[in-house]
Amino acid sequence: MTTQAIEPSFDLPSAEAFAERLLSIINSGALSLMISVGHRTHLFDVLAGQPVATSQQIANAAGLNERYVREWLNAMVVGRIVSYNPTDKTYELPDEYAAFLTQAASPNNMATFAQYIPVLASVEDQIIRLYRE
């Protein structure tokens, strides 16, 4: 929060709580995009189909570029969706999470809904133009 003069009626704790909420919304939006990537590349299915594995093993199993798979995995770790063991440099998708993220989880596969976020974002400019015109 800036140190500029604040009105006496300004509720600083409320403002800070709202700023934290906005940051959480933005972070969740970004994580939703990464969930969509994991769904569309079948990375969740690959993770669910094997025991703990390195990013290279996961990339090989998925037929994808290891560098991008590693970045995606790290986003999933930060989002508390995938577990990471720093000693072995291995990743794991808990079964309890796979139950909502894999093709086998249908009709409970919630990752399919994450695809709506990039679709909506792709038409944002058109929607804004409609507001103006």
Side-chain angles (χ1 to χ4, degrees):
M1 191 103 216
T2 63
T3 57
Q4 64 189 13
I6 297 176
E7 296 288 325
S9 63
F10 190 85
D11 184 347
L12 186 58
S14 177
E16 289 174 341
F18 183 67
E20 286 182 28
R21 180 172 169 240
L22 285 176
L23 184 58
S24 176
I25 290 168
I26 292 166
N27 286 337
S28 293
L31 185 59
S32 181
L33 288 171
M34 297 306 285
I35 290 170
S36 178
V37 168
H39 171 72
R40 295 182 65 196
T41 58
H42 300 279
L43 280 165
F44 290 121
D45 299 297
V46 169
L47 279 166
Q50 63 183 335
V52 297
T54 65
S55 60
Q56 187 64 63
Q57 292 168 323
I58 295 164
N60 290 347
L64 300 171
N65 183 301
E66 186 276 336
R67 164 82 162 71
Y68 293 106
V69 169
R70 182 172 12 104
E71 293 295 335
W72 177 83
L73 285 164
N74 290 334
M76 293 296 100
V77 170
V78 170
R80 297 186 311 267
I81 293 172
V82 169
S83 302
Y84 178 65
N85 180 329
T87 304
D88 300 335
K89 297 183 179 179
T90 55
Y91 299 85
E92 179 180 27
L93 178 65
D95 292 340
E96 297 79 7
Y97 298 2
F100 297 97
L101 293 169
T102 62
Q103 302 294 326
S106 290
N108 297 323
N109 183 354
M110 296 174 78
T112 60
F113 298 108
Q115 296 177 100
Y116 297 145
I117 302 304
V119 169
L120 290 171
S122 72
V123 298
E124 179 184 11
D125 288 341
Q126 296 167 25
I127 292 169
I128 289 173
R129 188 173 47 252
L130 291 172
Y131 273 80
R132 292 188 173 136
E133 296 173 2

